[in-house]
Amino acid sequence: MSKILIAEDDPISQRFVSTIVERMGHCAVVCPNGRHAWEAMCAENRFDLLITDIMMPGMDGTTLIRTLRAEERFKELPIVVMSAFIGVSEISGLLGIGATWFMPKPVERGVLEEYVKRALD
């Protein structure tokens, strides 16, 4: 069983993504923002995947990705970004700073399952 950290401030998206991850047989840990996710990663860096929203209070997803990638121990961590309100140039920028994949919101179950499988294979 893999541990997947989900950084998302919207309760509906939290439930949707964590339910799918758990149905796939993984352990989902939900954080309400990037700061909380960063603290969880530092406290226990045994997560196999990060799924993060971009627009969150406190620390946003972009800052979270930059902060993680600055640490050697998180260089290889797969990161899936999910967001509703960004365009191609923003997606390219996120991939440029270290996101592994981008997933548009509303999240489609099949797309999420595919990224989780790819990240954990």
Side-chain angles (χ1 to χ4, degrees):
M1 176 191 327
S2 296
K3 282 185 75 175
I4 299 173
L5 184 63
I6 302 162
E8 169 62 72
D9 60 323
D10 175 60
I12 294 168
S13 294
Q14 288 174 350
R15 255 191 317 276
F16 181 75
V17 173
S18 63
T19 298
I20 291 168
V21 163
E22 288 169 354
R23 283 185 183 156
M24 293 178 74
H26 305 296
C27 174
V29 176
V30 177
C31 294
N33 59 53
R35 170 82 47 221
H36 192 273
W38 168 246
E39 290 168 359
M41 293 294 297
C42 289
E44 179 185 345
N45 73 13
R46 293 193 311 265
F47 290 98
D48 302 294
L49 171 64
L50 169 65
I51 300 171
T52 184
D53 188 17
I54 291 302
M55 290 188 263
M56 295 181 288
M59 178 190 283
D60 67 10
T62 303
T63 305
L64 174 61
I65 294 167
R66 282 196 173 104
T67 305
L68 287 169
R69 291 304 191 219
E71 297 275 328
E72 190 60 40
R73 62 190 164 149
F74 300 125
K75 291 264 194 235
E76 302 301 316
L77 176 74
I79 300 174
V80 177
V81 171
M82 55 184 174
S83 186
F85 304 108
I86 64 175
V88 175
S89 63
E90 289 91 351
I91 294 168
S92 176
L94 290 166
L95 297 173
I97 64 165
T100 311
W101 296 292
F102 174 78
M103 182 170 54
K105 280 183 171 181
V107 172
E108 291 182 32
R109 192 179 91 211
V111 174
L112 175 58
E113 289 172 343
E114 179 63 28
Y115 284 145
V116 170
K117 285 178 190 164
R118 275 200 223 170
L120 302 176
D121 279 346

